[in-house]
Amino acid sequence: MDKLTYYQTVIKKILNEYERISLQVPVSGIDEIFVFDDNKSQYLWYNVGWDEGKRVKGITIYVRIKNEKIYVEEDWTEEGIATDLLREGIPKEDIVLGFHPPEARKFTEFAIA
């Protein structure tokens, strides 16, 4: 399995586990949407719906693969998907915390770009 396919497989495995957990505690009126696009190497988990007459929409996780690295562009999970990626054997050098500005990434333990 090449690196791209392996990274895609790992990301989908992690997000499928998040989906399984999320479905155990559904919120009435709000849908959890998981989108996997292997052609563009982009993976998204977002919520959409209505709660007490108010529109709810928001990205929980957005991850993409760019230049053979996994960019975590959005992550509102408690532990962080980067931790899950590390557990799956993805090296820190191949994970970019894209939600940090480029000049701040050098202060993380992960890749700059």
Side-chain angles (χ1 to χ4, degrees), residues 17 19 31 42 44 48 51 56 74 87 92-93 101 103:
E17 180 62 17
E19 182 178 28
D31 293 326
Q42 299 193 56
L44 180 67
V48 65
D51 183 31
V56 174
E74 193 79 36
R87 275 193 207 114
K92 293 177 183 175
E93 301 79 32
E103 63 274 9

Side-chain angles (χ1 to χ4, degrees), residues 25-31 48-52 56:
V25 285
V27 178
S28 179
I30 299 178
D31 293 326
V48 65
W50 292 90
D51 183 31
E52 298 182 8
V56 174

Side-chain angles (χ1 to χ4, degrees), residues 2-112:
D2 66 19
K3 188 174 182 179
L4 175 63
T5 304
Y6 176 68
Y7 284 2
Q8 291 173 331
T9 301
V10 168
I11 292 167
K12 289 185 287 188
K13 176 184 173 189
I14 292 168
L15 290 178
N16 279 324
E17 180 62 17
Y18 282 141
E19 182 178 28
R20 187 190 66 75
I21 293 168
S22 177
L23 291 175
Q24 293 176 355
V25 285
V27 178
S28 179
I30 299 178
D31 293 326
E32 307 279 338
I33 310 292
F34 289 79
V35 179
F36 300 163
D37 183 345
D38 285 335
N39 290 329
K40 295 182 179 177
S41 295
Q42 299 193 56
Y43 306 90
L44 180 67
W45 170 18
Y46 71 97
N47 308 310
V48 65
W50 292 90
D51 183 31
E52 298 182 8
K54 294 182 181 176
R55 182 73 171 156
V56 174
K57 59 181 177 177
I59 296 172
T60 304
I61 291 179
Y62 171 49
V63 177
R64 62 186 175 130
I65 300 172
K66 176 182 170 186
N67 300 328
E68 298 191 347
K69 295 186 180 183
I70 299 173
Y71 280 69
V72 180
E73 300 289 358
E74 193 79 36
D75 183 358
W76 290 97
T77 61
E78 190 169 316
E79 195 169 316
I81 192 170
T83 302
D84 296 311
L85 293 168
L86 292 172
R87 275 193 207 114
E88 291 293 330
I90 307 297
K92 293 177 183 175
E93 301 79 32
D94 283 357
I95 300 171
V96 178
L97 302 181
F99 53 82
H100 287 308
E103 63 274 9
R105 293 179 195 160
K106 63 185 173 192
F107 301 113
T108 74
E109 59 187 297
F110 297 96
I112 295 171

